[in-house]
Amino acid sequence: MTSKKTIDQYLGQFSRAKLMTGSTPLEPLNRLSELLDIDLWIKRDDLTGLGMGGNKTRQLEFYFGEAVEQNADTVLITGAVQSNFVRSAAAAAALLGMKSVLQLEERVSGMGEAYYRSGNVLLAKLLGAEHMSFPEGENEAGADNALHERADQLRAEGRSPYIIHLGLGHPPLGALGYVAGAGELAGQLDDFDVAVVPSGSGSTHGGFLTGLRLAGVSADVFGICVRRDQDQQSQRMRVVLDKLAGLLGLEQGLPDEDIITWDGALAPGYGRIGDFTRDALTMMARTEGVFLDPVYTAKTFAGLLGLLKEGRIKPGQKVVMVHTGGVPALFGYQEELDVA
């Protein structure tokens, strides 16, 4: 799916708040490349700058662009307790002089005290965010409705709220950030064979895949499942990609064969650390000095290792892994990591 229009021309039709400090580095992982017998590179989107960085900064540029255009003074958003998205949204709101309301879902049961007090929770409190709780972790419509109720209260108080929705029924504005991110990567390296990204809400995976195809890059993109199994995630990605194509005004969406998901690192579930994930996290740290987070990027690297083992990534291939950030969450997982 190449196009006569450039990515910048496609994105120019949308309002955008400048939150990125610039392009993020693309770095070779030389020691792991030798160890794994591939040519491995890492796109350092943990270094996007704002509020300790991460992939959500790219996505929030488009949400906050619309919020500013609508003269909003308050932004409301939902995420898990250790959500990088809500922490980044609170940082963006602070930068732009807005109030932030963060609704935290109970997606992960049985966690210790650090999970509720440290990491992203601590940072969001330092940023002055208002916190709400939502008792369910798999009810996107219910969580969105709860934000609308709070937004109605804020309007009654004379404020102008803007909601960043969870549900698939809303335009995937955040995915535009990774259309831009893929274009940025293609300008740094356009001859790689495989890309590996986390696949959760679908915004990063969908935007990245669409952006690569618009840039003329045909590499396989593996979405590593961090929340749902691969069948459920593939269905979700079909919806995200179709909505994104409509948002961009593309004549056609991507074919089903471009949607590749893998769930071999998902167990024991969203936000939980299995042995495979723990081993991948410590391997990256001790081999390359790069920290991964337990929810997204450690599972992404574990997925890369699993794909190598299965032969779906082949020896000698040039592979790009997108590091989507989330490192502050490590401090909320001290008890679960218990690294020796």
Side-chain angles (χ1 to χ4, degrees):
M1 184 182 66
T2 55
S3 171
K4 294 180 181 179
K5 293 173 68 174
T6 67
I7 286 176
D8 285 344
Q9 287 174 323
Y10 276 112
L11 297 180
Q13 60 189 305
F14 302 98
S15 299
R16 189 172 181 179
K18 180 172 172 49
L19 303 176
M20 296 279 294
T21 54
S23 298
T24 61
L26 177 70
E27 300 175 348
L29 296 180
N30 295 322
R31 295 191 67 219
L32 278 172
S33 292
E34 183 176 358
L35 181 66
L36 301 175
D37 193 24
I38 57 175
D39 185 7
L40 181 57
W41 296 70
I42 188 167
K43 178 63 170 163
R44 295 294 303 272
D45 273 10
D46 55 321
L47 303 178
T48 53
L50 177 73
M52 295 195 74
N55 65 324
K56 304 305 183 183
T57 307
R58 292 190 187 275
Q59 298 182 27
L60 288 166
E61 286 198 326
F62 290 91
Y63 285 118
F64 274 87
E66 186 173 77
V68 169
E69 184 178 53
Q70 295 178 8
N71 295 314
D73 59 19
T74 307
V75 170
L76 301 92
I77 186 171
T78 299
V81 173
Q82 281 294 332
S83 168
N84 304 302
F85 206 177
V86 301
R87 177 256 303 166
S88 297
L95 177 67
L96 296 172
M98 298 182 186
K99 172 186 172 70
S100 58
V101 178
L102 315 182
Q103 179 172 244
L104 303 185
E105 294 178 310
E106 287 291 344
R107 290 186 196 171
V108 187
S109 61
M111 302 300 284
E113 182 181 0
Y115 182 79
Y116 294 94
R117 295 177 59 86
S118 188
N120 286 313
V121 176
L122 173 62
L123 295 178
K125 288 181 178 178
L126 287 172
L127 289 163
E130 173 188 323
H131 282 79
M132 298 170 50
S133 294
F134 190 75
E136 300 175 61
E138 296 296 334
N139 184 357
E140 292 183 339
D144 284 344
N145 288 338
L147 287 187
H148 278 280
E149 290 176 5
R150 180 67 183 118
D152 288 341
Q153 295 170 357
L154 289 164
R155 288 189 191 92
E157 297 167 9
R159 302 194 70 92
S160 179
Y162 177 87
I163 295 173
I164 299 175
H165 295 93
L166 269 183
L168 284 174
H170 301 274
L173 278 178
L176 299 174
Y178 265 88
V179 174
E184 181 182 300
L185 172 62
Q188 295 170 315
L189 185 75
D190 63 359
D191 62 344
F192 54 94
D193 302 298
V194 174
V196 183
V197 300
S199 192
S201 71
S203 290
T204 295
H205 182 184
F208 186 76
L209 176 58
T210 298
L212 286 184
R213 297 299 183 259
L214 288 173
V217 177
S218 60
D220 286 337
V221 177
F222 287 94
I224 307 303
C225 301
V226 299
R227 188 170 179 186
R228 303 167 187 86
D229 67 37
Q230 60 190 37
D231 290 337
Q232 291 177 307
Q233 191 63 19
S234 292
Q235 293 172 23
R236 186 180 184 93
M237 291 310 306
R238 181 72 273 162
V239 176
V240 171
L241 287 166
D242 288 346
K243 284 186 171 293
L244 179 56
L247 191 62
L248 289 167
L250 300 174
E251 292 182 3
Q252 60 184 23
L254 293 173
D256 286 345
E257 53 264 32
D258 267 358
I259 302 173
I260 310 172
T261 58
W262 191 84
D263 62 6
L266 178 59
Y270 174 84
R272 305 310 298 257
I273 306 172
D275 291 340
F276 196 15
T277 300
R278 183 182 290 102
D279 290 347
L281 190 153
T282 54
M283 177 188 285
M284 180 67 78
R286 295 175 184 182
T287 309
E288 295 286 353
V290 174
F291 294 115
L292 304 177
D293 85 291
V295 182
Y296 294 94
T297 52
K299 289 190 176 183
T300 302
F301 183 46
L304 187 155
L305 297 174
L307 291 165
L308 262 172
K309 185 176 181 180
E310 291 182 0
R312 299 179 72 182
I313 295 176
K314 297 175 174 57
Q317 285 193 311
K318 186 178 289 187
V319 181
V320 176
M321 173 183 154
V322 180
H323 188 332
T324 54
V327 173
L330 276 170
F331 299 99
Y333 278 80
Q334 296 173 52
E335 298 167 24
E336 286 70 28
L337 285 169
D338 191 25
V339 179

